[in-house]
Amino acid sequence: MTLPISSGSQQPRSGASAAFPENRACREVDDIVAPFPPVVAELLALHSHATALLALGETERCPQEYQLLARYIIQKLLRGWATQDRLGTIDDIIPQ
């Protein structure tokens, strides 16, 4: 897997906030600087795919499959979070 790594200087990623200027989460993601570890690259990829799911969800209806797979994804994210912060809970990663 090739990671988008800068040539030494740390610069914010660009693009997310331009596409969604009203979205605070996108602006915060836009502030993540390279180089970053593979776990952050994977989370950025998940963020990008989740953004596409918003648009697809408006035109495609498959609620049972969506719910099942979303639950699996959330479970895996929570397990990963537990490796980052052993005292962490789902409340730490779900926006309020």
Side-chain angles (χ1 to χ4, degrees):
M1 173 171 73
T2 303
L3 300 176
I5 296 179
S6 71
S7 61
S9 65
Q10 294 193 345
Q11 298 178 357
R13 294 177 343 96
S14 61
S17 63
F20 303 96
E22 74 287 350
N23 189 326
R24 186 179 131 232
C26 286
R27 287 194 307 269
E28 290 172 356
V29 167
D30 205 34
D31 290 336
I32 294 174
V33 294
F36 39 78
V39 69
V40 174
E42 292 298 327
L43 287 167
L44 288 169
L46 183 59
H47 177 271
S48 177
H49 288 288
T51 301
L53 287 172
L54 292 172
L56 289 170
E58 292 177 1
T59 59
E60 299 178 13
R61 300 287 182 249
C62 44
Q64 293 171 332
E65 295 86 353
Y66 192 105
Q67 183 182 41
L68 175 70
L69 292 167
R71 284 180 175 167
Y72 287 142
I73 292 166
I74 291 168
Q75 286 173 349
K76 288 179 187 276
L77 284 170
L78 183 55
R79 285 187 204 133
W81 176 239
T83 67
Q84 297 290 309
D85 182 347
R86 301 239 180 251
L87 299 176
T89 68
I90 189 88
D91 294 327
D92 297 330
I93 59 175
I94 300 292
Q96 307 261 330

